[in-house]
Amino acid sequence: AKSLGKSNFQFFDDSLEASSQFHLYLENQLRSAIEKAQFSLVFQPKVCLKTQKVTAFEALIRWFDEGGNFVSPADFIPLAEQTGLIEKVGSWVLEATCQQIKSWKDLGLPLLPVAINVSPVEFNCQGLVDRFRQALEKYGIPGEMLEIEITESVFFEDMNKMSEILQKLRELGITVAVDDFGTGFSSLQYLHQLPIDVLKIDRSFIIDLEGNSHNEAIADTILTLARNLKLTVVAEGVETQASIDFLSERGCELAQGYFFYKPMQASDVTALLINH
Ligand code: C2E
Ligand code: CA
Ligand code: CA
Ligand code: CA
């Protein structure tokens, strides 16, 4: 529990009492943020390494609490998962993303797919597929404009259930990506048991790629694996030209990272789409 929000709230000491008080404080803040819909989205482009063109975006949630402090999703998403609030957060993200895609569509802009992060915990909630179907209908957008990113997790152990849900999402036209690939689950078994389209190489392997033979070997292996399984690869956390060279030479299709674009406001995406 100690790690919760440590980067943002360094004034809390490490005692158990302080951290559980902080936990409660943050949970209450999160509840009220959900009620008041105090979230926003930013969008990070995914770039085709061959053409250098933007081909898609990833939506990332942002939250500034009552005091105007930025709280990282890396801190509050795990809390939302532990407290059962994740379904509401996830619903908000889906609605807000579809609403945004609709407004780009209404402007007559060329549409590009937007990926949303779906917590593995949400796969245990009833009606995940219905939620997606209803949102697509409500905003009149094709499923092909949505992707989901799921982190490898223990929930992948319930293969049949997971497989069924992913298959239904795919039937809606939605693309399925495994996020943070290489960091989580130890078995590769699920790769051919689950209907998956994309692997995202975790940024911990990419950020420190050049000259790090360990990370080079891992990135290389993931790219070979993906090619053999006919999966698309996205490298995340691309910050340097050297890492782009490495990835391009090995046939990595897509990249995401500060080298190309940081996550941006919807209005900046609008400008990007106008010039697309
Ligand atoms: P993620 O899905 O792996 O998202 C990528 C994170 O890396 C984002 O952090 C992004 O801003 C950051 N990033 C992108 N390019 C670079 C780069 O070149 N260098 C470095 N150092 N970082 C880069 P962010 O937005 O803070 O999100 C953190 C995590 O929180 C996400 O990791 C994801 O697991 C979770 N998250 C964010 N938004 C949502 C959401 O709407 N729903 C759920 N369930 N989780 C979310
Ligand atoms: Ca992601
Ligand atoms: Ca990731
Ligand atoms: Ca992550």
Side-chain angles (χ1 to χ4, degrees):
K2 181 205 146 200
S3 68
L4 260 181
K6 66 176 186 257
S7 54
N8 300 305
F9 296 90
Q10 280 156 348
F11 51 87
F12 281 93
D13 70 34
D14 285 345
S15 75
L16 187 62
E17 192 191 353
S19 81
S20 66
Q21 272 173 15
F22 171 66
H23 199 284
L24 259 179
Y25 162 80
L26 198 61
E27 183 181 338
N28 286 329
Q29 288 267 305
L30 187 56
R31 278 183 201 285
S32 98
I34 290 167
E35 269 166 37
K36 298 175 193 156
Q38 278 172 341
F39 304 110
S40 57
L41 292 176
V42 288
F43 302 87
Q44 186 177 36
K46 302 184 187 188
V47 176
C48 171
L49 285 175
K50 264 201 193 121
T51 63
Q52 304 278 309
K53 283 208 125 198
V54 174
T55 62
F57 298 92
E58 176 178 2
L60 295 157
I61 194 169
R62 292 293 176 261
W63 174 34
F64 294 87
D65 72 8
E66 302 274 65
N69 302 301
F70 172 76
V71 188
S72 168
D75 293 331
F76 74 80
I77 294 293
L79 178 71
E81 289 173 340
Q82 288 157 29
T83 52
L85 294 170
I86 191 65
E87 198 177 352
K88 287 190 169 148
V89 174
S91 296
W92 183 87
V93 170
L94 176 62
E95 284 277 322
T97 302
C98 290
Q99 194 168 24
Q100 186 58 65
I101 295 173
K102 180 186 172 353
S103 71
W104 285 321
K105 188 182 169 206
D106 290 347
L107 287 170
L109 294 169
L111 293 183
L112 293 175
V114 181
I116 60 180
N117 292 282
V118 179
S119 163
V121 176
E122 289 181 75
F123 283 82
N124 285 350
C125 305
Q126 286 299 309
L128 183 72
V129 177
D130 287 339
R131 223 210 275 161
F132 274 82
R133 188 182 295 114
Q134 282 160 14
L136 290 171
E137 271 170 24
K138 177 175 171 190
Y139 294 100
I141 52 176
E144 284 72 17
M145 288 303 122
L146 278 189
E147 301 184 356
I148 58 165
E149 299 188 3
I150 330 157
T151 306
E152 296 177 276
S153 87
V154 290
F155 293 102
F156 279 24
E157 277 165 15
D158 192 351
M159 287 291 181
N160 291 334
K161 189 178 168 208
M162 192 74 182
S163 183
E164 199 181 303
I165 297 174
L166 293 180
Q167 194 50 48
K168 284 183 183 154
L169 291 171
R170 258 181 156 194
E171 282 160 15
L172 296 174
I174 297 168
T175 301
V176 177
V178 178
D179 208 349
D180 302 342
F181 187 72
T183 58
F185 200 46
S186 52
S187 166
L188 297 175
Q189 187 71 4
Y190 72 84
L191 282 181
H192 75 92
Q193 290 193 8
L194 295 179
I196 288 166
D197 308 290
V198 179
L199 297 183
K200 294 192 78 177
I201 308 180
D202 190 68
R203 70 174 187 271
S204 60
F205 304 122
I206 303 295
I207 276 176
D208 191 21
L209 190 57
E210 57 276 15
N212 180 324
S213 57
H214 176 252
N215 285 352
E216 283 186 1
I218 289 173
D220 215 6
T221 303
I222 294 174
L223 283 161
T224 305
L225 179 72
R227 190 175 316 116
N228 290 334
L229 295 173
K230 302 196 165 45
L231 301 170
T232 302
V233 179
V234 183
E236 61 175 33
V238 170
E239 294 186 356
T240 63
Q241 182 65 54
S243 61
I244 293 167
D245 294 343
F246 180 94
L247 293 161
S248 303
E249 275 165 29
R250 285 161 185 79
C252 179
E253 290 98 336
L254 300 171
Q256 216 182 335
Y258 297 167
F259 183 87
F260 295 109
Y261 299 95
K262 290 195 168 169
M264 50 172 80
Q265 303 295 324
S267 56
D268 293 324
V269 176
T270 305
L272 193 150
L273 291 174
I274 288 172
N275 297 311
H276 195 69

